[in-house]
């Protein structure tokens, strides 16, 4: 019984208001959101720019973001005080930065695909150098010749490496490249065909992806059409309220003229609002005539 009373007394001492417990937490560091945004933008940049080299990078980024959400939630609830809310229209300059990174990543991925894979050389060989349009003979076409006798004395491998390790038993060796088989071993015609095809692929790939992204952005607008209509209606009502205030601030010419002017103003408002909605929705509106009682 005594133990229970001591426990209840200790509990009453520790029973402090929640706001006081929150106040004892650490304040948010300066520029806290800047570092949070910077972390997300860096991850977005690495994933989008080098996804062609590491295709499962988006999966790891998704797992990291899910973990980061939980860690940030724990920090906001248990480690830091409640932050003071500020109004903001959007994420500010970070949107332009991420948009620039996305556009740059298309170009980077195009160069990675064109210059680090055999996709373009194979396509050039099948279209221009293969007799039957197949890849038969592609490996032999992609290897150049080098005459062993053209090696300088100081560049030539030692005898123990030439015959025991490298097995130089033939007068020439093969290496990947598109070069002529004699000195000065400069690039041949196929080399320039492959380079031109790679640059053409970069150009076409870049603008095809840009066109698809622009089309999807147009197809899925940032704001729904209904919300856009409500925003425009509020702007229209604000302009009409301002116009009404300007008209009412003028000198009153008399009761009869005031009724006529007010009636004209109301009809003009209804006509302009109907025209405004008709231009937005492209639906014909029927103008209703209202009767006004005389004073």
């Amino acid at each position: 019984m005594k133990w229970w009373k001591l426990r209840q007394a200790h509990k009453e001492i520790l029973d402090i208001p929640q706001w006081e417990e929150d106040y004892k937490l650490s304040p948010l560091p300066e520029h806290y959101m800047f570092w949070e945004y910077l972390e997300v933008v860096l991850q977005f940049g690495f994933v989008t720019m080098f996804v062609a080299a590491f295709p499962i990078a988006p999966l790891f980024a998704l797992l990291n973001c899910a973990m980061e959400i939980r860690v940030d939630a724990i920090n906001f609830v248990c480690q830091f005080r409640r932050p003071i809310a500020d109004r903001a229209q959007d994420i500010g300059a970070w949107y332009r930065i991420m948009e620039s990174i996305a556009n740059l990543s298309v170009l980077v991925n195009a160069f990675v695909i064109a210059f680090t894979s055999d996709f373009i050389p194979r396509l050039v060989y099948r279209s221009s150098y293969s007799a039957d349009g197949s890849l038969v003979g592609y490996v032999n076409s992609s290897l150049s010749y080098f005459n062993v006798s053209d090696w300088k004395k100081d560049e030539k491998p030692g005898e123990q490496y030439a015959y025991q390790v490298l097995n130089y038993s033939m007068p020439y060796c093969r290496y990947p490249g598109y070069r002529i088989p004699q000195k000065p071993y400069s690039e041949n015609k196929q080399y320039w065909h492959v380079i031109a095809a790679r640059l053409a692929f970069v150009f076409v790939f870049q603008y095809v992806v840009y066109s698809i992204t622009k089309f999807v952005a147009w197809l899925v607008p940032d704001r729904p059409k209904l919300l856009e209509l409500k925003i425009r209606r509020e702007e229209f009502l604000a302009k009409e309220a301002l116009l009404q205030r300007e008209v009412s601030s003028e000198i009153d010419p008399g009761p009869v003229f005031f009724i006529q002017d007010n009636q004209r103003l109301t009809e003009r408002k209804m006509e302009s609002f109907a025209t405004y909605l008709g231009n937005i929705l492209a639906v014909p509106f029927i103008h209703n005539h209202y009767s006004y009682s005389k004073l």
Side-chain angles (χ1 to χ4, degrees), residues 241-252 258:
L242 181 60
L243 179 62
Q244 179 70 28
R245 183 175 180 182
E246 292 177 355
V247 172
S248 61
S249 62
E250 296 177 356
I251 300 176
D252 188 6
F258 178 76

Side-chain angles (χ1 to χ4, degrees), residues 96-135:
R96 297 297 179 188
I97 293 174
M98 297 182 73
E99 188 177 21
S100 302
I101 291 175
N103 293 332
L104 181 62
S105 65
V106 176
L107 184 62
V108 172
N109 282 284
F111 274 101
V112 169
I113 295 173
F115 286 88
T116 62
S117 66
D118 290 336
F119 171 71
I120 301 301
R122 290 171 182 267
L123 188 63
V124 171
Y125 178 80
R126 294 181 62 178
S127 61
S128 301
Y129 295 93
S130 177
D132 54 355
S134 64
L135 290 175

